[in-house]
Amino acid sequence: RSLRSNDELSKFFNHDFPKTKYSISIPFFIANKIRKTGLDSKFAIQFLPNEGENSTLGLIDPIGDHAQSPVKQIVHRYKNRVLFFPTQVCPIICRYCFRKNELGVGDDLFRAEFEKSFNYLENHPEIEEIIFSGGDPLVLSNEKLSYYLERFSKLKSIKYIRFHTRVPTTLPSRIDEGLISLLKKFSSIFKKIIIVVHANHSEEFCKVVASKLTKLSALNISLLSQSVLLKGVNDSTEELKSLIETLVENNITPYYLHHPDRVKGAMHFYLTIEEGRKIYSGLRDSISGWALPTYVIDIPEGEGKVNAFNPETYSYSGQLINKKGKKIPHQDFLE
C-alpha cells in the first residue's frame, strides 16, 4: 500500500516529478500527509524525488560501512557493539538516506548468511549490544524478529538490543499488538531494549503516531531519537527546537543529531559543518541540556562517529579526530 513509481506519484498528486535512478516508496499514510502539507513543504521534500538526485557529487558508501564488515550482515565498528542488518528493505524511501545507493535488495537476501553472523557473535564475547539496522528492521514480520531475538538471547554476552527505525512515524500501523507483545516478552530477557525513532521534522507527528508511541513508552523499553540536519528541512534553530519539543512530548529522549553525510544523490540536502555548528549553537541556548541531542558526524572509511560541535570555533579545519586521536581528512563540500 505505497506509491512506488513516478506514474503513481503523478496520478496521486496531479503533478509531474523528475525521474531519477532511485527507487520510490511512499506509504499512503505519508502520501496523504503530503497532500495536506503541500508538495513544497519541509515535511514533503524528505520523500519526493528531486532533480538534485541526478548529481554525480557524493559517495556511494559515505561512512565506510563496508570497511568494517567482517561478515555480510554485520558492521563491527566499536568494540562492544555491532550493527546487524537483517534486511535492506524500508517502508519508505527517504531521499537523503546515506544508504540510498544500497537499498531495495530483497528481504531474504541475508537468510543464508545468518549462521555466519551468529558464529561471529559467538566468537566475540566482547560484543554486548546488537543494533538492528537496515533498511528498517521493523518491516520484518513479528515471527522473523522473534526468531532473531530468540537466537541472540542464547548468547550470554548480549545484554542490549537496539532498533533504529522510521516505522513509528511513517508506517505506524506496523506497531501492532503482536509487536508490542514481542517487545514486552524480550524486555524481560535482555537487560535493555532500546528503540531509536528516526524523525527530522515536527510535522511527522500526529495523533496516530502519538498513540503508537504511547503504547511503546508504556513498555519496559527506552525510546530515543535520531535526526539528520538537512538543508531545506530543519536547518534552523527554530525548526530543530520544534522537533525536539515534539519528541519530548512523545516521551522520546533526543539522542543524535547527525550532520548530513556526503551521499551521492543527496548532496542537495547537504550544508557545511560551519553552518551546522552555528545552528546547533543556537539550539544549545534554547533547549535544556537534558533534551539536547549530541551533534555528531561520521568519519569516512568506517572510523565512526565524533562530536561535530567545537566550542572554540564555528570554522572547520578540514580534519576530524578519530577514536585513536588521529586526525583524519574530511572534505566539506557543497554542490
Side-chain angles (χ1 to χ4, degrees):
R1 293 185 52 78
S2 299
L3 301 173
R4 295 185 177 273
S5 69
N6 274 76
D7 287 342
E8 290 180 359
L9 280 184
S10 297
K11 290 177 182 177
F12 188 87
F13 292 111
N14 192 28
H15 180 86
D16 291 330
F17 294 90
K19 287 184 168 56
T20 78
K21 69 175 184 178
Y22 297 104
S23 300
I24 294 169
S25 180
I26 304 178
F28 284 114
F29 176 76
I30 294 296
N32 286 317
K33 276 191 172 185
I34 291 173
R35 272 181 168 170
K36 294 178 181 178
T37 63
L39 297 178
D40 296 324
S41 68
K42 294 183 176 184
F43 167 76
I45 64 175
Q46 299 179 81
F47 311 115
L48 297 174
N50 185 286
E51 187 62 44
E53 293 178 76
N54 294 319
S55 168
T56 59
L57 291 178
L59 305 172
I60 298 293
D61 181 21
I63 70 170
D65 272 345
H66 299 302
Q68 302 289 338
S69 183
V71 294
K72 201 167 188 177
Q73 281 184 292
I74 283 178
V75 169
H76 193 179
R77 186 175 283 120
Y78 304 99
K79 181 179 178 180
N80 78 319
R81 55 203 184 274
V82 296
L83 289 173
F84 171 63
F85 299 88
T87 180
Q88 285 186 312
V89 176
C90 283
I92 191 164
I93 302 297
C94 302
R95 312 319 293 184
Y96 57 85
C97 180
F98 72 101
R99 292 196 180 110
K100 70 183 295 178
N101 293 284
E102 303 171 76
L103 294 178
V105 182
D107 190 25
D108 291 327
L109 172 70
F110 297 127
R111 179 175 289 175
E113 300 292 329
F114 181 66
E115 292 307 320
K116 294 180 182 178
S117 301
F118 191 82
N119 290 339
Y120 183 84
L121 294 169
E122 277 187 312
N123 293 324
H124 289 80
E126 74 275 16
I127 297 170
E128 299 178 321
E129 181 176 20
I130 296 175
I131 304 167
F132 281 69
S133 187
D136 193 313
L138 293 191
V139 302
L140 298 176
S141 67
N142 294 330
E143 290 76 17
K144 282 189 177 182
L145 288 174
S146 182
Y147 170 76
Y148 286 129
L149 293 173
E150 287 281 4
R151 291 293 301 276
F152 292 146
S153 71
K154 307 303 181 186
L155 299 172
K156 294 181 179 180
S157 59
I158 303 302
K159 301 175 183 177
Y160 312 108
I161 297 291
R162 194 193 322 172
F163 295 96
H164 282 237
T165 179
R166 230 188 182 310
V167 156
T169 60
T170 61
L171 196 68
S173 60
R174 171 64 188 94
I175 305 174
D176 55 22
E177 291 306 314
L179 180 60
I180 295 295
S181 297
L182 182 152
L183 292 170
K184 185 176 182 180
K185 171 186 173 181
F186 285 99
S187 67
S188 64
I189 294 175
F190 296 98
K191 282 195 172 183
K192 176 66 73 174
I193 290 181
I194 305 104
I195 294 181
V196 181
V197 179
H198 184 149
N200 300 320
H201 199 276
S202 58
E203 287 182 343
E204 296 178 40
F205 295 82
C206 61
K207 289 182 179 179
V208 175
V209 171
S211 67
K212 297 296 186 177
L213 290 171
T214 297
K215 288 188 175 183
L216 290 175
S217 62
L219 300 172
N220 182 32
I221 64 175
S222 297
L223 295 181
L224 306 178
S225 76
Q226 68 172 14
S227 307
V228 186
L229 184 58
L230 298 170
K231 184 177 181 179
V233 176
N234 56 15
D235 53 338
S236 72
T237 297
E238 293 73 26
E239 294 284 0
L240 288 175
K241 183 174 185 291
S242 177
L243 169 62
I244 289 170
E245 288 175 343
T246 304
L247 291 168
V248 170
E249 288 169 4
N250 284 277
N251 297 311
I252 300 172
T253 300
Y255 179 39
Y256 276 147
L257 173 65
H258 292 265
H259 191 78
D261 297 308
R262 302 169 300 166
V263 186
K264 184 177 180 180
M267 288 303 294
H268 53 294
F269 287 108
Y270 193 81
L271 70 167
T272 66
I273 294 174
E274 181 173 339
E275 289 174 308
R277 286 173 174 174
K278 289 178 179 178
I279 292 167
Y280 188 73
S281 180
L283 192 64
R284 294 171 78 235
D285 195 40
S286 58
I287 290 289
S288 298
W290 55 265
L292 191 68
T294 302
Y295 179 34
V296 295
I297 187 167
D298 268 292
I299 303 180
E301 304 303 325
E303 291 281 351
K305 294 178 180 62
V306 295
N307 201 315
F309 185 69
N310 186 341
E312 294 184 358
T313 178
Y314 292 134
S315 62
Y316 174 58
S317 67
Q319 295 181 318
L320 295 168
I321 298 176
N322 70 2
K323 298 189 291 290
K324 298 179 181 178
K326 180 182 177 182
K327 290 185 177 181
I328 304 293
H330 182 85
Q331 186 181 2
D332 191 20
F333 63 87
L334 292 165
E335 275 189 283

mmCIF file of all heavy atoms in Angstrom, residues 287-330:
data_model
loop_
_atom_site.group_PDB
_atom_site.id
_atom_site.type_symbol
_atom_site.label_atom_id
_atom_site.label_comp_id
_atom_site.label_asym_id
_atom_site.label_seq_id
_atom_site.Cartn_x
_atom_site.Cartn_y
_atom_site.Cartn_z
ATOM 1 N N ILE A 287 17.368 25.133 24.324
ATOM 2 C CA ILE A 287 16.875 23.823 24.760
ATOM 3 C C ILE A 287 17.609 23.422 26.036
ATOM 4 O O ILE A 287 18.823 23.578 26.135
ATOM 5 C CB ILE A 287 17.112 22.747 23.670
ATOM 6 C CG1 ILE A 287 16.204 22.986 22.461
ATOM 7 C CG2 ILE A 287 16.910 21.347 24.205
ATOM 8 C CD1 ILE A 287 14.739 22.698 22.718
ATOM 9 N N SER A 288 16.883 22.894 27.019
ATOM 10 C CA SER A 288 17.518 22.417 28.241
ATOM 11 C C SER A 288 18.519 21.318 27.932
ATOM 12 O O SER A 288 18.320 20.519 27.004
ATOM 13 C CB SER A 288 16.460 21.879 29.209
ATOM 14 O OG SER A 288 15.568 22.910 29.590
ATOM 15 N N GLY A 289 19.591 21.250 28.702
ATOM 16 C CA GLY A 289 20.662 20.296 28.448
ATOM 17 C C GLY A 289 20.198 18.859 28.389
ATOM 18 O O GLY A 289 20.698 18.071 27.580
ATOM 19 N N TRP A 290 19.232 18.491 29.222
ATOM 20 C CA TRP A 290 18.775 17.100 29.244
ATOM 21 C C TRP A 290 18.002 16.724 27.964
ATOM 22 O O TRP A 290 17.801 15.541 27.678
ATOM 23 C CB TRP A 290 17.895 16.840 30.461
ATOM 24 C CG TRP A 290 16.710 17.753 30.605
ATOM 25 C CD1 TRP A 290 16.647 18.895 31.347
ATOM 26 C CD2 TRP A 290 15.420 17.605 30.003
ATOM 27 N NE1 TRP A 290 15.400 19.487 31.240
ATOM 28 C CE2 TRP A 290 14.628 18.699 30.410
ATOM 29 C CE3 TRP A 290 14.851 16.650 29.148
ATOM 30 C CZ2 TRP A 290 13.318 18.881 30.002
ATOM 31 C CZ3 TRP A 290 13.544 16.827 28.733
ATOM 32 C CH2 TRP A 290 12.789 17.932 29.170
ATOM 33 N N ALA A 291 17.564 17.722 27.201
ATOM 34 C CA ALA A 291 16.819 17.463 25.967
ATOM 35 C C ALA A 291 17.645 17.730 24.718
ATOM 36 O O ALA A 291 17.136 17.638 23.601
ATOM 37 C CB ALA A 291 15.553 18.325 25.924
ATOM 38 N N LEU A 292 18.921 18.032 24.891
ATOM 39 C CA LEU A 292 19.778 18.408 23.772
ATOM 40 C C LEU A 292 20.427 17.165 23.165
ATOM 41 O O LEU A 292 21.164 16.450 23.843
ATOM 42 C CB LEU A 292 20.854 19.381 24.249
ATOM 43 C CG LEU A 292 21.693 20.078 23.187
ATOM 44 C CD1 LEU A 292 20.843 21.063 22.392
ATOM 45 C CD2 LEU A 292 22.871 20.801 23.836
ATOM 46 N N PRO A 293 20.174 16.879 21.884
ATOM 47 C CA PRO A 293 20.838 15.724 21.257
ATOM 48 C C PRO A 293 22.319 16.015 21.047
ATOM 49 O O PRO A 293 22.741 17.169 20.984
ATOM 50 C CB PRO A 293 20.109 15.580 19.917
ATOM 51 C CG PRO A 293 19.645 16.969 19.602
ATOM 52 C CD PRO A 293 19.308 17.605 20.934
ATOM 53 N N THR A 294 23.106 14.972 20.930
ATOM 54 C CA THR A 294 24.523 15.118 20.606
ATOM 55 C C THR A 294 24.668 15.309 19.099
ATOM 56 O O THR A 294 24.135 14.518 18.316
ATOM 57 C CB THR A 294 25.319 13.881 21.046
ATOM 58 O OG1 THR A 294 25.147 13.686 22.449
ATOM 59 C CG2 THR A 294 26.803 14.056 20.755
ATOM 60 N N TYR A 295 25.349 16.371 18.717
ATOM 61 C CA TYR A 295 25.569 16.681 17.302
ATOM 62 C C TYR A 295 26.803 15.911 16.842
ATOM 63 O O TYR A 295 27.904 16.130 17.352
ATOM 64 C CB TYR A 295 25.755 18.192 17.157
ATOM 65 C CG TYR A 295 26.029 18.708 15.759
ATOM 66 C CD1 TYR A 295 25.466 18.118 14.627
ATOM 67 C CD2 TYR A 295 26.845 19.832 15.584
ATOM 68 C CE1 TYR A 295 25.708 18.615 13.364
ATOM 69 C CE2 TYR A 295 27.097 20.346 14.321
ATOM 70 C CZ TYR A 295 26.528 19.735 13.218
ATOM 71 O OH TYR A 295 26.776 20.243 11.953
ATOM 72 N N VAL A 296 26.623 14.976 15.899
ATOM 73 C CA VAL A 296 27.706 14.076 15.505
ATOM 74 C C VAL A 296 27.911 14.079 13.999
ATOM 75 O O VAL A 296 27.035 14.471 13.219
ATOM 76 C CB VAL A 296 27.435 12.627 15.979
ATOM 77 C CG1 VAL A 296 27.423 12.530 17.491
ATOM 78 C CG2 VAL A 296 26.139 12.086 15.375
ATOM 79 N N ILE A 297 29.087 13.609 13.617
ATOM 80 C CA ILE A 297 29.403 13.415 12.203
ATOM 81 C C ILE A 297 30.139 12.089 12.073
ATOM 82 O O ILE A 297 30.916 11.702 12.953
ATOM 83 C CB ILE A 297 30.254 14.591 11.666
ATOM 84 C CG1 ILE A 297 30.435 14.485 10.155
ATOM 85 C CG2 ILE A 297 31.602 14.683 12.365
ATOM 86 C CD1 ILE A 297 30.986 15.743 9.528
ATOM 87 N N ASP A 298 29.847 11.364 11.002
ATOM 88 C CA ASP A 298 30.529 10.094 10.748
ATOM 89 C C ASP A 298 31.778 10.342 9.913
ATOM 90 O O ASP A 298 31.707 10.924 8.826
ATOM 91 C CB ASP A 298 29.600 9.131 9.999
ATOM 92 C CG ASP A 298 28.822 8.242 10.952
ATOM 93 O OD1 ASP A 298 29.459 7.395 11.603
ATOM 94 O OD2 ASP A 298 27.598 8.411 11.053
ATOM 95 N N ILE A 299 32.914 9.889 10.436
ATOM 96 C CA ILE A 299 34.167 9.988 9.700
ATOM 97 C C ILE A 299 34.163 8.918 8.612
ATOM 98 O O ILE A 299 33.658 7.807 8.821
ATOM 99 C CB ILE A 299 35.365 9.773 10.648
ATOM 100 C CG1 ILE A 299 35.328 10.786 11.787
ATOM 101 C CG2 ILE A 299 36.685 9.904 9.894
ATOM 102 C CD1 ILE A 299 36.469 10.646 12.773
ATOM 103 N N PRO A 300 34.704 9.217 7.427
ATOM 104 C CA PRO A 300 34.717 8.215 6.351
ATOM 105 C C PRO A 300 35.599 7.017 6.681
ATOM 106 O O PRO A 300 36.335 7.011 7.672
ATOM 107 C CB PRO A 300 35.289 9.006 5.154
ATOM 108 C CG PRO A 300 36.064 10.128 5.762
ATOM 109 C CD PRO A 300 35.318 10.491 7.022
ATOM 110 N N GLU A 301 35.512 5.988 5.814
ATOM 111 C CA GLU A 301 36.309 4.766 5.934
ATOM 112 C C GLU A 301 36.001 3.983 7.203
ATOM 113 O O GLU A 301 36.860 3.279 7.736
ATOM 114 C CB GLU A 301 37.814 5.077 5.867
ATOM 115 C CG GLU A 301 38.243 5.828 4.620
ATOM 116 C CD GLU A 301 37.878 5.099 3.335
ATOM 117 O OE1 GLU A 301 37.928 3.866 3.324
ATOM 118 O OE2 GLU A 301 37.522 5.784 2.360
ATOM 119 N N GLY A 302 34.769 4.139 7.717
ATOM 120 C CA GLY A 302 34.346 3.326 8.854
ATOM 121 C C GLY A 302 34.931 3.729 10.185
ATOM 122 O O GLY A 302 34.929 2.942 11.129
ATOM 123 N N GLU A 303 35.434 4.948 10.303
ATOM 124 C CA GLU A 303 36.082 5.390 11.539
ATOM 125 C C GLU A 303 35.090 5.648 12.676
ATOM 126 O O GLU A 303 35.465 5.689 13.833
ATOM 127 C CB GLU A 303 36.896 6.662 11.274
ATOM 128 C CG GLU A 303 38.114 6.446 10.398
ATOM 129 C CD GLU A 303 39.277 5.859 11.165
ATOM 130 O OE1 GLU A 303 39.196 5.784 12.395
ATOM 131 O OE2 GLU A 303 40.268 5.477 10.534
ATOM 132 N N GLY A 304 33.807 5.858 12.350
ATOM 133 C CA GLY A 304 32.800 6.034 13.394
ATOM 134 C C GLY A 304 32.411 7.483 13.629
ATOM 135 O O GLY A 304 32.865 8.395 12.944
ATOM 136 N N LYS A 305 31.568 7.676 14.653
ATOM 137 C CA LYS A 305 31.022 8.991 14.961
ATOM 138 C C LYS A 305 31.952 9.787 15.868
ATOM 139 O O LYS A 305 32.584 9.230 16.761
ATOM 140 C CB LYS A 305 29.663 8.854 15.653
ATOM 141 C CG LYS A 305 28.574 8.258 14.790
ATOM 142 C CD LYS A 305 27.286 8.130 15.582
ATOM 143 C CE LYS A 305 26.179 7.543 14.730
ATOM 144 N NZ LYS A 305 26.501 6.171 14.270
ATOM 145 N N VAL A 306 31.983 11.100 15.640
ATOM 146 C CA VAL A 306 32.663 12.023 16.542
ATOM 147 C C VAL A 306 31.771 13.239 16.732
ATOM 148 O O VAL A 306 30.864 13.497 15.942
ATOM 149 C CB VAL A 306 34.039 12.469 15.997
ATOM 150 C CG1 VAL A 306 34.996 11.298 15.914
ATOM 151 C CG2 VAL A 306 33.898 13.147 14.634
ATOM 152 N N ASN A 307 32.038 13.985 17.788
ATOM 153 C CA ASN A 307 31.272 15.186 18.064
ATOM 154 C C ASN A 307 31.545 16.226 16.983
ATOM 155 O O ASN A 307 32.695 16.526 16.675
ATOM 156 C CB ASN A 307 31.652 15.731 19.441
ATOM 157 C CG ASN A 307 30.584 16.634 20.013
ATOM 158 O OD1 ASN A 307 30.048 17.487 19.310
ATOM 159 N ND2 ASN A 307 30.266 16.466 21.284
ATOM 160 N N ALA A 308 30.482 16.780 16.407
ATOM 161 C CA ALA A 308 30.647 17.753 15.329
ATOM 162 C C ALA A 308 30.739 19.183 15.840
ATOM 163 O O ALA A 308 31.157 20.075 15.106
ATOM 164 C CB ALA A 308 29.479 17.643 14.341
ATOM 165 N N PHE A 309 30.344 19.397 17.097
ATOM 166 C CA PHE A 309 30.369 20.760 17.629
ATOM 167 C C PHE A 309 31.724 21.059 18.245
ATOM 168 O O PHE A 309 32.306 20.220 18.940
ATOM 169 C CB PHE A 309 29.278 20.955 18.681
ATOM 170 C CG PHE A 309 29.176 22.373 19.173
ATOM 171 C CD1 PHE A 309 28.708 23.375 18.344
ATOM 172 C CD2 PHE A 309 29.573 22.713 20.456
ATOM 173 C CE1 PHE A 309 28.619 24.686 18.782
ATOM 174 C CE2 PHE A 309 29.497 24.010 20.908
ATOM 175 C CZ PHE A 309 29.020 24.998 20.071
ATOM 176 N N ASN A 310 32.243 22.233 17.979
ATOM 177 C CA ASN A 310 33.516 22.679 18.529
ATOM 178 C C ASN A 310 33.274 23.968 19.309
ATOM 179 O O ASN A 310 32.929 24.989 18.718
ATOM 180 C CB ASN A 310 34.524 22.921 17.406
ATOM 181 C CG ASN A 310 35.919 23.245 17.928
ATOM 182 O OD1 ASN A 310 36.088 23.625 19.081
ATOM 183 N ND2 ASN A 310 36.912 23.092 17.069
ATOM 184 N N PRO A 311 33.429 23.954 20.635
ATOM 185 C CA PRO A 311 33.151 25.158 21.434
ATOM 186 C C PRO A 311 34.156 26.282 21.203
ATOM 187 O O PRO A 311 33.940 27.401 21.652
ATOM 188 C CB PRO A 311 33.228 24.644 22.875
ATOM 189 C CG PRO A 311 34.111 23.446 22.809
ATOM 190 C CD PRO A 311 33.839 22.820 21.476
ATOM 191 N N GLU A 312 35.252 25.983 20.490
ATOM 192 C CA GLU A 312 36.265 27.003 20.253
ATOM 193 C C GLU A 312 36.012 27.820 18.988
ATOM 194 O O GLU A 312 36.404 28.986 18.898
ATOM 195 C CB GLU A 312 37.659 26.359 20.150
ATOM 196 C CG GLU A 312 38.138 25.722 21.442
ATOM 197 C CD GLU A 312 39.558 25.192 21.319
ATOM 198 O OE1 GLU A 312 40.132 25.295 20.219
ATOM 199 O OE2 GLU A 312 40.069 24.678 22.317
ATOM 200 N N THR A 313 35.361 27.191 17.989
ATOM 201 C CA THR A 313 35.214 27.892 16.710
ATOM 202 C C THR A 313 34.085 27.288 15.888
ATOM 203 O O THR A 313 33.792 26.096 16.004
ATOM 204 C CB THR A 313 36.518 27.823 15.899
ATOM 205 O OG1 THR A 313 36.328 28.467 14.628
ATOM 206 C CG2 THR A 313 36.939 26.380 15.653
ATOM 207 N N TYR A 314 33.445 28.125 15.060
ATOM 208 C CA TYR A 314 32.472 27.628 14.091
ATOM 209 C C TYR A 314 33.166 27.110 12.837
ATOM 210 O O TYR A 314 32.656 26.244 12.147
ATOM 211 C CB TYR A 314 31.498 28.740 13.679
ATOM 212 C CG TYR A 314 30.557 29.188 14.759
ATOM 213 C CD1 TYR A 314 30.340 30.553 14.992
ATOM 214 C CD2 TYR A 314 29.866 28.273 15.542
ATOM 215 C CE1 TYR A 314 29.470 30.977 15.979
ATOM 216 C CE2 TYR A 314 28.991 28.686 16.537
ATOM 217 C CZ TYR A 314 28.795 30.044 16.746
ATOM 218 O OH TYR A 314 27.932 30.454 17.721
ATOM 219 N N SER A 315 34.323 27.664 12.527
ATOM 220 C CA SER A 315 35.019 27.295 11.301
ATOM 221 C C SER A 315 35.522 25.861 11.382
ATOM 222 O O SER A 315 35.668 25.290 12.462
ATOM 223 C CB SER A 315 36.178 28.250 11.030
ATOM 224 O OG SER A 315 37.140 28.186 12.072
ATOM 225 N N TYR A 316 35.830 25.287 10.219
ATOM 226 C CA TYR A 316 36.194 23.876 10.137
ATOM 227 C C TYR A 316 37.561 23.742 9.487
ATOM 228 O O TYR A 316 37.829 24.335 8.438
ATOM 229 C CB TYR A 316 35.129 23.123 9.344
ATOM 230 C CG TYR A 316 35.451 21.683 9.067
ATOM 231 C CD1 TYR A 316 35.703 20.799 10.105
ATOM 232 C CD2 TYR A 316 35.501 21.206 7.762
ATOM 233 C CE1 TYR A 316 36.006 19.469 9.850
ATOM 234 C CE2 TYR A 316 35.788 19.882 7.494
ATOM 235 C CZ TYR A 316 36.050 19.017 8.548
ATOM 236 O OH TYR A 316 36.343 17.704 8.292
ATOM 237 N N SER A 317 38.440 22.947 10.097
ATOM 238 C CA SER A 317 39.820 22.836 9.642
ATOM 239 C C SER A 317 40.001 21.869 8.480
ATOM 240 O O SER A 317 41.043 21.860 7.828
ATOM 241 C CB SER A 317 40.705 22.357 10.805
ATOM 242 O OG SER A 317 40.374 21.012 11.157
ATOM 243 N N GLY A 318 38.989 21.026 8.223
ATOM 244 C CA GLY A 318 39.125 20.013 7.175
ATOM 245 C C GLY A 318 39.585 18.676 7.703
ATOM 246 O O GLY A 318 39.814 17.734 6.936
ATOM 247 N N GLN A 319 39.694 18.549 9.037
ATOM 248 C CA GLN A 319 40.111 17.295 9.654
ATOM 249 C C GLN A 319 39.237 16.990 10.859
ATOM 250 O O GLN A 319 38.760 17.898 11.533
ATOM 251 C CB GLN A 319 41.578 17.360 10.086
ATOM 252 C CG GLN A 319 42.573 17.487 8.947
ATOM 253 C CD GLN A 319 44.009 17.519 9.451
ATOM 254 O OE1 GLN A 319 44.312 18.170 10.453
ATOM 255 N NE2 GLN A 319 44.895 16.823 8.772
ATOM 256 N N LEU A 320 39.050 15.693 11.123
ATOM 257 C CA LEU A 320 38.314 15.239 12.297
ATOM 258 C C LEU A 320 39.189 14.245 13.053
ATOM 259 O O LEU A 320 39.994 13.527 12.458
ATOM 260 C CB LEU A 320 37.000 14.567 11.891
ATOM 261 C CG LEU A 320 35.970 15.475 11.206
ATOM 262 C CD1 LEU A 320 34.857 14.637 10.592
ATOM 263 C CD2 LEU A 320 35.391 16.484 12.182
ATOM 264 N N ILE A 321 39.038 14.181 14.367
ATOM 265 C CA ILE A 321 39.844 13.294 15.190
ATOM 266 C C ILE A 321 39.093 11.978 15.395
ATOM 267 O O ILE A 321 37.950 11.968 15.865
ATOM 268 C CB ILE A 321 40.164 13.939 16.548
ATOM 269 C CG1 ILE A 321 40.975 15.224 16.339
ATOM 270 C CG2 ILE A 321 40.955 12.970 17.428
ATOM 271 C CD1 ILE A 321 41.253 15.985 17.618
ATOM 272 N N ASN A 322 39.721 10.855 15.060
ATOM 273 C CA ASN A 322 39.067 9.559 15.192
ATOM 274 C C ASN A 322 39.189 9.010 16.616
ATOM 275 O O ASN A 322 39.698 9.677 17.523
ATOM 276 C CB ASN A 322 39.621 8.559 14.163
ATOM 277 C CG ASN A 322 41.051 8.133 14.453
ATOM 278 O OD1 ASN A 322 41.666 8.532 15.442
ATOM 279 N ND2 ASN A 322 41.582 7.279 13.586
ATOM 280 N N LYS A 323 38.747 7.749 16.816
ATOM 281 C CA LYS A 323 38.716 7.150 18.147
ATOM 282 C C LYS A 323 40.106 7.067 18.787
ATOM 283 O O LYS A 323 40.244 7.060 20.000
ATOM 284 C CB LYS A 323 38.102 5.743 18.072
ATOM 285 C CG LYS A 323 36.671 5.698 17.584
ATOM 286 C CD LYS A 323 36.065 4.313 17.737
ATOM 287 C CE LYS A 323 36.670 3.301 16.806
ATOM 288 N NZ LYS A 323 36.322 3.522 15.400
ATOM 289 N N LYS A 324 41.139 6.960 17.952
ATOM 290 C CA LYS A 324 42.504 6.821 18.454
ATOM 291 C C LYS A 324 43.232 8.154 18.578
ATOM 292 O O LYS A 324 44.427 8.184 18.884
ATOM 293 C CB LYS A 324 43.286 5.880 17.538
ATOM 294 C CG LYS A 324 42.718 4.468 17.494
ATOM 295 C CD LYS A 324 43.513 3.576 16.549
ATOM 296 C CE LYS A 324 42.915 2.165 16.507
ATOM 297 N NZ LYS A 324 43.659 1.291 15.556
ATOM 298 N N GLY A 325 42.512 9.250 18.327
ATOM 299 C CA GLY A 325 43.125 10.566 18.442
ATOM 300 C C GLY A 325 43.880 11.005 17.201
ATOM 301 O O GLY A 325 44.544 12.050 17.212
ATOM 302 N N LYS A 326 43.769 10.235 16.139
ATOM 303 C CA LYS A 326 44.447 10.582 14.885
ATOM 304 C C LYS A 326 43.577 11.502 14.047
ATOM 305 O O LYS A 326 42.361 11.327 13.973
ATOM 306 C CB LYS A 326 44.752 9.302 14.100
ATOM 307 C CG LYS A 326 45.468 9.539 12.781
ATOM 308 C CD LYS A 326 45.691 8.211 12.050
ATOM 309 C CE LYS A 326 46.345 8.443 10.699
ATOM 310 N NZ LYS A 326 46.516 7.163 9.952
ATOM 311 N N LYS A 327 44.191 12.491 13.405
ATOM 312 C CA LYS A 327 43.454 13.411 12.548
ATOM 313 C C LYS A 327 43.202 12.768 11.184
ATOM 314 O O LYS A 327 44.116 12.264 10.546
ATOM 315 C CB LYS A 327 44.226 14.719 12.385
ATOM 316 C CG LYS A 327 44.271 15.566 13.656
ATOM 317 C CD LYS A 327 44.937 16.905 13.402
ATOM 318 C CE LYS A 327 44.902 17.760 14.670
ATOM 319 N NZ LYS A 327 45.532 19.087 14.450
ATOM 320 N N ILE A 328 41.920 12.793 10.767
ATOM 321 C CA ILE A 328 41.501 12.191 9.510
ATOM 322 C C ILE A 328 40.979 13.292 8.584
ATOM 323 O O ILE A 328 40.091 14.066 8.972
ATOM 324 C CB ILE A 328 40.382 11.153 9.740
ATOM 325 C CG1 ILE A 328 40.837 10.088 10.736
ATOM 326 C CG2 ILE A 328 39.941 10.532 8.420
ATOM 327 C CD1 ILE A 328 41.938 9.206 10.245
ATOM 328 N N PRO A 329 41.497 13.394 7.355
ATOM 329 C CA PRO A 329 40.956 14.395 6.416
ATOM 330 C C PRO A 329 39.487 14.125 6.114
ATOM 331 O O PRO A 329 39.075 12.969 5.939
ATOM 332 C CB PRO A 329 41.816 14.202 5.165
ATOM 333 C CG PRO A 329 43.032 13.481 5.628
ATOM 334 C CD PRO A 329 42.598 12.623 6.769
ATOM 335 N N HIS A 330 38.692 15.173 6.083
ATOM 336 C CA HIS A 330 37.265 15.032 5.772
ATOM 337 C C HIS A 330 36.823 16.282 5.016
ATOM 338 O O HIS A 330 36.664 17.349 5.591
ATOM 339 C CB HIS A 330 36.439 14.874 7.048
ATOM 340 C CG HIS A 330 34.966 14.681 6.794
ATOM 341 N ND1 HIS A 330 34.419 13.457 6.524
ATOM 342 C CD2 HIS A 330 33.948 15.578 6.748
ATOM 343 C CE1 HIS A 330 33.101 13.592 6.352
ATOM 344 N NE2 HIS A 330 32.803 14.867 6.479
#
